[in-house]
Structure formats: structure tokens, C-alpha cells
Amino acid sequence: MRTTQRKTLPLGLLFAGSMLLAGRAAAQDVTTIPVETQHNAIVLQTDAEKHLNMVYLGAKLANTSEYSRIQKMYKQADDSGVQNDVYTPSGSASLGEPAITVTHADGNKSLNLTYVSHTVSKVDDDISLLVVTLKDPVYDFEVKLYYKTYFKEDVTEQWSVIKHNEKGVVTLNKYASANLNLKGNTTGGFWLKQYHGNWAMEVQPEEARLTHGIKTIDSKLGTRANLYEHSMFAISLDKPATEDEGKVFYGAMEWSGNFRVDFELDVANNLKIIAGINNAASEYHLKPGAEFTTPAFLYTYSDHGKGDASRKLQSWARKYKIVDGEGSRLTLLNNWESTYFDFNESKLAGLLKDTKKLGVDLFLLDDGWFGNSHPRNGDNAGLGDWQENKQKLPNGISSLVKEAQANGVKFGIWIEPEMVNPASDLYKAHPDWVIKQPNRPEKYFRNQLVLDLANPKVQDFVFGVVDNLFTKNPDLAYIKWDCNAVIYNAYSAYLKKDQSHIYVDYVNGLYNVLKRVRAKYPKVPLMLCSGGGGRVDYGALQYFTEFWPSDNTDPLERVFIQWEYSFFYPAITSSNHVTDWGKQPIKYRVDVAMMGKMGFDIVIGKLSENDLSFCQSALKNYDALKDVIWHGDQYRLASPWDNDAASIMYVNTDKSKAVMFNYLVNNRYGSGSKVPVRLKGLDPNKKYRVKEINLYPGTGSVLGNEDLTFTGDFLMNVGINPEASAYHTSVVLQLEAI
Ligand code: GLA
């Protein structure tokens, strides 16, 4: 039986995640490998046949010697075995959904993986790296599993490196990043929260109990991979976790292309999670001696609900993943919605003045500035020809950068360098750089096709688009990097016989380009955009400072969209722009944008005097609070899905400053805040002065003029009523310890 345990592990073979040791199992020994972070542990353990199983995921045990006793408590196995392989192979004794499927050089499809050894090394005080080596006893085939743990943040990144020394090429038919097993010790089962969406309808959540069999979330779109689904998900154990209660596991692929996550609930109620690149149409040919490295699967776990899990991921992202996560950001005025493709130098000169007048840091010139033989005056031409359009911009970008500087603001620009319109010089010059089937009619998405980033020459071209802009305009301060099309008719002229590599090599090609950009321009702010939020993942975000959540900027919709992204991403990454979408007043639009990285995309000249002065003073308030919003701890207080008003707050590290945002999301008669909303994360012993800010000119605070000083104790146990209603649809409260 696969799960039999032979012997308790000698102490010397038991490794905590923070120790620098190496181990090898003797024939009869059971090796137990705990992968620990501050609060959690995953436990791996060998069985009688030296298969390595994952026997535990949950709160870390006080007594590490007890990890080796966990598996004995489970009596689930029958003849077919309950299989909890740490990386399920296929074609031998494991019959569940595989993490890996291969075709050996001799055509055989059977793989068996047994434990060989492991090492644990410390990267620094916080980070450790566990590497487990598994081998097939029959074939010269090896998988190394990497677990990079961030101790304080309770976060793990897990990936695999696959290698062989067979006599010819081995085909990898499936090659997951991670395979996790959650024990079925509850009657309440496992609850999956997942996200689907579409353009302007990003991150729509659904939560349901997993039934037996396999549930898969995936993408096969190639680029703009999150248009319909996200790889980010939450699994609650027993019952759906709330913000502050319940056991919850969060996972997401760090990969900007096709992904696949399988959730298999087995006959004994255990849940197997297998996450990785989508293997659909993507067999990978691996030569002897070569290594295939999967992208990382990212996860955390909390015993204290979804809020705690989110804060773990958010602080991990700020500290370790996104570019300059603990640094600053630029507020901006964008021209996409105010001009679309219709602008020229004099119009832009006016917008640069408006940028200064409004009081933001930067002007962002959007789509439409390039293309000459095929001018970019609409979305049907010009992509690929990254030269300034001579009619619109006779003096080029450099004169705009100078003009911005003369106005005391910075200048940024939009590009979409991975794409090409058939109406372009690039398309005519390099048809072989374009992803399309040689013998089929072309199929367009937004009138465009995707360039073949598997081809190193195309990588050079795409890098060149960015590099030329910065070389010619060293003071260029910001880039919005867009990606609007999916991949149809996947075919690479460059890959020749390895067509099934296209989806994988595309993303790795993209990452090569982004690595080169970051090597040369380490800190310049880059916004990750993909026709709205069609590409939001930590694989890409390690090269970006922020992302564009959605083209839908109706603030009522944005409350929900920004709320859902906050489960995985910190507020500093969420670009929230004030636009003319929706029916809400300017105050509501500004208040909603303020809960993340604020920007504007409206015609300043059309604002009434009061609207303009409101925006200007809100920007001053933002300046005073942005440090708390960008770097503080976030607490979701009242969900827009369940309440008339949504409430969310941010607290700085020493709990001396906080801000609470409240948005009415129900416009039916009498809707509004009826009861106080309990705050979180404050110091109970501190006294806080509460002040309503972002008041529209001529209006007083809804909270009146009385003394609004409360103890943290009161605010967290009783709460405060923000009095959001049809008369005050959004209320922003600032808290300062006195
Ligand atoms: C995409 C982006 C928009 C805008 C347009 C320009 O749709 O999401 O913000 O930049 O492209 O064409």
C-alpha cells in the first residue's frame, strides 16, 4: 500500500525550512520534510516504495517531531490506494490526474518518480529554498521540485525543473509547476472561489463547493490570457472562509500565457491541486541534458480568513515581486478617453497645461501617436510602425517631453509592441515575424495579429521599441504597455518542427524582453495593460509597477472590480482612473479612484469650477494619505456584494494613521449605512481623531461638527457609521492617532 509508514524519522533527518542541510533516505527509512513558514507547514514524507507524498498542509505544529506521525492518522487507502504524490507521474502506479506525463525517447509512456534527496538552503533571513530530487528508477529521468518560502509572509513559490539523459528527445506531454494535496478530513468539503470575465467585466467571482471528479480553470488564448479566466483562486476548507475566519488557501500561476489548474476531489475526499502551464497543444520536446523549468505557482494559507491571506500576499508582492513595491508612484492625466486617436501638438499642449493645473505628476499620451504610411488614426492601422506620426506630431516625442518639463510635469507614453496591424510597414517587411497559419485565412482580434516572440529577432525588435523611446527621450518617465489581441492560428515560422512550443516560447520570449528592459531601466514605472485587465499575473508584474484593472471605469463597477483584485494584489498596483464613465458625481469617481493608484482621464477644461477645485484638493488629500494606501495594511470591512455600501480601509504600520473609504452601491429607495461598520487593524489603546475628507465645495461633513475622537477599542468593537446614502454616496474618513 502506497501510504504505509515504516519507521519514525531519526531526528537528524527532520528538517525545518530554515536549516541548511541535505538528506538521503536509507532503504527502510521514512523521510519527513516539513516546509515551514511563520504560521504554516507543508509536510512531505516518503512511503515504503520511496514515493514522496504530501501528507499535510495547514497550521504549523509546535512540536516538529510530530510531523512524522501525521500520515498514520489517516486510514483512507484501499486497494487502489489514496494517492497523494508530491508530483503525480502517469503511466505507472498513480492513477489520479497527473502533474507530469511524458513520452520517453523509446516511445514508452510510463513514468515513476521516487525520492532521491533534498537540500534546504537559506537565501536570507526570510527566504529559504528547498530542492527535492525525484528520479525514475527505470529511465534516466529526473524532476527537481523547488519550494521557495517567504517565512514572515507565509508565502511559497513552487516550481519544477525537468531533465533526462535518455538516448533521444523526450516529449513532455504535461509538466505542472506544482501538485498539492489537501487532506479530506472535513465533512464540509472544499470551496473554490474562482474568477471569470470579459472585456470591461473583469474578475467576476464565483464560489462553490467542489464535487467529486475534476474541475479545471484554464486559458488557451495565448496572449491576453486572463480575458475569460484567471489562474488566481481561493480554496476554503470546511466552509467558505469569511474575511476574518476560516481556513483558506490562495493560489495563482506566475505565468502570462496559457495556464491550467486542475482540482481533483478523489474518492476519499482529498483534494489534489495541479497547477501549471496549459499543456493543450503544447507538448514540449526535451533534448538529453537540457532542462525545462516551469514557471512558479504561488500560494499562501491562512487559518484566519481571506483578509489575512490577502494581506500576506499583498505585503509579499510589495516586498519581493512588483517593481519598486515599497517605493512611490506617479499620479497622472491620461488622454485616451478625452481624445481617443484625435489629437495634435496644440491639443496636447493644452493637455500638458491641464496636467499641471489639475496637480498630477505626469501626462500619459495614449494610443494614436505613431505610423506614417499607415497612420494610427483608428484601431485598424499602424501597429508595428513605432515612428511618430508626422502630421500629428511634426516635432516628435522629444518636443512633447520638453514641453511637459516646461510645464513642470513628466511625460509618459502608450505602446503595444507585441502586435502588428496588417496595415503597417512592419507587416510587409517581416511577414515571417507574424503568428499566423501559412495556409489559412488570417483571423484578427481588434484588427491585429501577434508578433512571434519565440523568434529572438522579434524579441530584439520589441526590446528596441522601448529602448529607442528611452534612448531618444531619456526624460521619458512612464510607459503603458498594452496587449490587445489573443493568438489565433498559432504558428511560428521560426519554430519549424517544434510548433507545439509556441505558447511556452512566446511567454518566455516576452519575459526575455522584459528582463532586458529592466536590466537597462530598473525602476522606470511601467503599467501592465491588456485591453483592460486581460493580463494580470505575478509572472508579468515582476517587471511592472502597476496594472490596468479594466477599461470599465464606471466607478460603481470599479468598486466591485477593485475589490476583487484586492484579494491578490496590493492597492499600489491598481491603476484607478477618474473618467466620464457612469452616472456618478465627480466626488464618487475620485473617491473610488483613491483606494489605489489614482489617475485621471477626463477633459479638465470641461470641469466646472467646483469640480476642478474638488479634484485639486482631493489630490492634496491623496498626497497626505498615499503612503498609507500604497504601503499600509488593507482591511476589507463591508463587501459591496452583501451591503448597501462597501467599506475598505488602510492602516499604516505603526497604526497611527488610517483611511476608510465608503461607497454606496445600492441605489434603491432608502439604501445606505444603517449600522456602524467595525474598523480593523487599529491600536485599541490609541485615540483616533476621525475627520471626513474629500468634501465637495460648499458641503459639510455628514458626520457633523461634533468631536469625532474615539478609541481604537470603540472603533473596532462598535464601529463608526459612515452614513453613506443617496445624499452622500461616498464618504472618505481619515483617522489620526492623537
Ligand atoms: C486598450 C486599453 C485602453 C487604451 C486602448 C488604446 O483597450 O485597455 O486603456 O489604451 O487600448 O487603443
Side-chain angles (χ1 to χ4, degrees):
M1 200 155 308
R2 305 270 321 268
T3 47
T4 318
Q5 191 174 323
R6 294 272 173 93
K7 226 175 158 187
T8 328
L9 175 75
L11 260 181
L13 277 178
L14 187 91
F15 305 113
S18 56
M19 287 193 273
L20 200 143
L21 289 163
R24 178 174 283 274
Q28 297 294 303
D29 284 336
V30 171
T31 300
T32 306
I33 312 169
V35 189
E36 289 188 328
T37 56
Q38 188 176 183
H39 300 101
N40 304 327
I42 283 177
V43 180
L44 317 179
Q45 191 172 56
T46 52
D47 65 17
E49 282 95 35
K50 286 184 40 178
H51 291 111
L52 189 64
N53 298 312
M54 178 174 156
V55 298
Y56 182 73
L57 181 149
K60 142 173 158 182
L61 301 184
N63 182 354
T64 48
S65 69
E66 287 186 321
Y67 285 130
S68 59
R69 306 172 66 185
I70 294 174
Q71 181 57 29
K72 249 197 166 153
M73 294 298 130
Y74 291 87
K75 308 287 174 200
Q76 298 169 300
D78 58 19
D79 272 357
S80 64
V82 165
Q83 291 159 348
N84 48 3
D85 305 65
V86 74
Y87 197 70
T88 313
S90 63
S92 55
S94 297
L95 301 177
E97 178 63 28
I100 181 164
T101 306
V102 305
T103 310
H104 293 288
D106 64 4
N108 191 299
K109 295 204 64 120
S110 163
L111 184 68
N112 183 11
L113 292 171
T114 52
Y115 169 80
V116 176
S117 64
H118 72 277
T119 60
V120 184
S121 55
K122 245 175 136 20
V123 178
D124 63 25
D125 274 356
D126 197 30
I127 306 173
S128 302
L129 187 66
L130 162 71
V131 186
V132 179
T133 303
L134 308 172
K135 278 195 173 147
D136 189 318
V138 174
Y139 283 90
D140 194 347
F141 190 98
E142 172 194 287
V143 177
K144 279 192 190 321
L145 305 178
Y146 286 73
Y147 298 78
K148 189 173 185 182
T149 49
Y150 300 81
F151 189 82
K152 276 194 228 102
E153 294 75 19
D154 284 323
V155 165
T156 303
E157 287 177 294
Q158 188 182 332
W159 68 94
S160 315
V161 177
I162 303 165
K163 200 169 118 181
H164 71 88
N165 277 307
E166 298 186 17
K167 291 214 164 60
V169 169
V170 170
T171 300
L172 307 181
N173 304 101
K174 190 177 183 192
Y175 35 89
S177 299
N179 177 165
L180 294 152
N181 301 294
L182 275 61
K183 284 289 189 189
N185 52 1
T186 69
T187 47
F190 298 97
W191 293 75
L192 170 67
K193 182 175 177 191
Q194 62 177 104
Y195 293 93
H196 69 281
N198 205 337
W199 178 79
M201 294 175 59
E202 284 82 350
V203 289
Q204 307 287 319
E206 280 173 324
E207 189 161 34
R209 184 171 173 165
L210 286 166
T211 54
H212 290 88
I214 299 179
K215 158 89 186 177
T216 299
I217 52 177
D218 82 335
S219 173
K220 301 185 195 76
L221 304 180
T223 41
R224 203 174 171 171
N226 301 133
L227 181 62
Y228 304 136
E229 285 192 33
H230 272 266
S231 72
M232 61 187 189
F233 66 89
I235 292 283
S236 296
L237 286 67
D238 308 333
K239 58 186 175 199
T242 63
E243 279 296 321
D244 299 313
E245 281 169 2
K247 300 182 196 315
V248 62
F249 173 90
Y250 271 38
M253 279 302 301
E254 294 183 27
W255 184 245
S256 310
N258 294 350
F259 62 83
R260 167 172 170 181
V261 188
D262 297 310
F263 303 89
E264 182 173 29
L265 189 62
D266 72 19
V267 68
N269 301 320
N270 302 305
L271 182 68
K272 189 200 289 274
I273 302 172
I274 296 181
I277 292 175
N278 198 334
N279 57 328
S282 292
E283 313 82 58
Y284 215 91
H285 307 128
L286 196 61
K287 293 195 182 110
E291 286 188 343
F292 182 89
T293 303
T294 73
F297 175 61
L298 163 76
Y299 51 90
T300 190
Y301 170 82
S302 173
D303 263 349
H304 296 97
K306 289 171 177 161
D308 184 48
S310 293
R311 284 185 292 282
K312 287 172 200 269
L313 282 179
Q314 291 168 355
S315 62
W316 168 82
R318 284 192 300 256
K319 193 155 181 210
Y320 295 112
K321 209 62 190 182
I322 54 174
V323 176
D324 205 17
E326 295 185 311
S328 190
R329 294 291 185 272
L330 300 168
T331 54
L332 59 83
L333 177 68
N334 187 197
N335 71 314
W336 174 239
E337 303 215 350
S338 59
T339 67
Y340 294 105
F341 298 95
D342 181 19
F343 54 81
N344 55 28
E345 276 180 0
S346 76
K347 219 182 212 180
L348 294 181
L351 293 179
L352 288 169
K353 288 203 168 50
D354 287 346
T355 308
K356 183 66 187 169
K357 191 167 162 192
L358 178 63
V360 291
D361 304 317
L362 174 133
F363 174 74
L364 169 61
L365 176 61
D366 215 284
D367 195 357
W369 58 268
F370 50 90
N372 284 298
S373 30
H374 303 275
R376 182 76 172 166
N377 293 327
D379 65 12
N380 55 355
L383 283 177
D385 299 349
W386 298 102
Q387 298 80 33
E388 295 97 328
N389 177 281
K390 293 216 168 67
Q391 291 216 313
K392 290 183 196 172
L393 306 175
N395 297 300
I397 301 294
S398 58
S399 85
L400 295 172
V401 177
K402 283 198 197 97
E403 178 95 9
Q405 282 172 329
N407 281 285
V409 294
K410 295 177 190 240
F411 189 86
I413 203 159
W414 177 99
I415 52 173
E416 195 182 0
E418 299 160 72
M419 303 286 161
V420 64
N421 285 121
S424 68
D425 292 341
L426 183 75
Y427 180 88
K428 285 182 189 75
H430 296 287
D432 57 324
W433 284 10
V434 180
I435 296 180
K436 55 184 177 132
Q437 286 287 341
N439 304 319
R440 296 186 197 278
E442 292 176 5
K443 182 166 166 65
Y444 309 121
F445 195 110
R446 208 192 189 206
N447 309 305
Q448 65 197 56
L449 293 164
V450 183
L451 292 174
D452 179 13
L453 274 171
N455 183 341
K457 286 204 176 113
V458 177
Q459 294 173 26
D460 290 344
F461 169 81
V462 174
F463 172 73
V465 174
V466 181
D467 194 34
N468 288 340
L469 279 167
F470 283 125
T471 311
K472 287 193 196 142
N473 310 288
D475 292 320
L476 188 69
Y478 187 98
I479 280 186
K480 173 178 176 184
W481 180 306
D482 212 338
C483 160
N484 278 288
V486 302
I487 295 179
Y488 289 125
N489 289 321
Y491 177 87
S492 158
Y494 172 79
L495 285 174
K496 304 202 169 68
K497 291 247 179 294
D498 283 327
Q499 288 306 317
S500 59
H501 293 196
I502 186 167
Y503 293 113
V504 175
D505 288 3
Y506 183 93
V507 180
N508 285 327
L510 171 67
Y511 292 164
N512 280 344
V513 173
L514 290 166
K515 269 182 211 140
R516 285 168 72 184
V517 169
R518 278 308 176 197
K520 200 159 172 192
Y521 310 102
K523 274 206 169 177
V524 67
L526 294 185
M527 184 211 275
L528 173 62
C529 175
S530 182
R535 179 192 269 169
V536 184
D537 67 85
Y538 280 117
L541 271 171
Q542 66 186 304
Y543 306 104
F544 289 82
T545 47
E546 55 222 67
F547 67 89
W548 183 234
S550 177
D551 279 350
N552 188 339
T553 47
D554 176 331
L556 189 58
E557 297 295 330
R558 272 297 184 110
V559 170
F560 291 83
I561 292 173
Q562 292 167 195
W563 181 271
E564 290 304 329
Y565 277 115
S566 84
F567 283 86
F568 291 82
Y569 299 99
I572 192 170
T573 55
S574 178
S575 297
N576 306 338
H577 293 181
V578 175
T579 72
D580 281 331
W581 280 54
K583 298 191 180 84
Q584 282 70 24
I586 191 85
K587 173 171 162 53
Y588 192 95
R589 289 182 266 154
V590 167
D591 289 354
V592 171
M594 206 158 160
M595 69 174 264
K597 214 227 87 177
M598 178 145 90
F600 289 78
D601 192 352
I602 43 174
V603 184
I604 301 303
K606 283 194 189 153
L607 291 178
S608 70
E609 211 176 297
N610 275 345
D611 279 6
L612 177 62
S613 97
F614 170 76
C615 293
Q616 289 164 331
S617 66
L619 274 161
K620 293 208 177 85
N621 291 334
Y622 187 63
D623 221 35
L625 283 167
K626 64 191 185 191
D627 184 49
V628 183
I629 299 166
W630 293 347
H631 308 122
D633 286 330
Q634 180 194 63
Y635 293 88
R636 290 178 296 260
L637 305 175
S639 163
W641 301 99
D642 310 323
N643 296 280
D644 285 353
S647 299
I648 192 161
M649 71 178 284
Y650 302 84
V651 193
N652 68 355
T653 329
D654 67 8
K655 301 175 187 292
S656 61
K657 226 172 166 185
V659 56
M660 178 196 195
F661 297 98
N662 306 278
Y663 312 114
L664 187 76
V665 291
N666 185 353
N667 292 318
R668 295 197 62 192
Y669 178 79
S671 301
S673 323
K674 305 284 190 313
V675 294
V677 179
R678 285 188 206 105
L679 274 67
K680 291 175 190 168
L682 299 174
D683 179 344
N685 301 314
K686 279 196 166 89
K687 275 194 157 185
Y688 294 90
R689 177 168 298 125
V690 181
K691 187 177 152 203
E692 184 180 357
I693 57 163
N694 283 9
L695 293 174
Y696 192 77
T699 62
S701 168
V702 289
L703 301 179
N705 296 323
E706 60 189 284
D707 174 29
L708 289 174
T709 304
F710 303 95
T711 57
D713 176 44
F714 180 93
L715 291 167
M716 292 194 291
N717 287 306
V718 178
I720 191 161
N721 190 325
E723 299 191 34
S725 73
Y727 306 101
H728 319 102
T729 52
S730 60
V731 179
V732 182
L733 302 178
Q734 171 192 296
L735 287 87
E736 260 167 350
I738 46 173

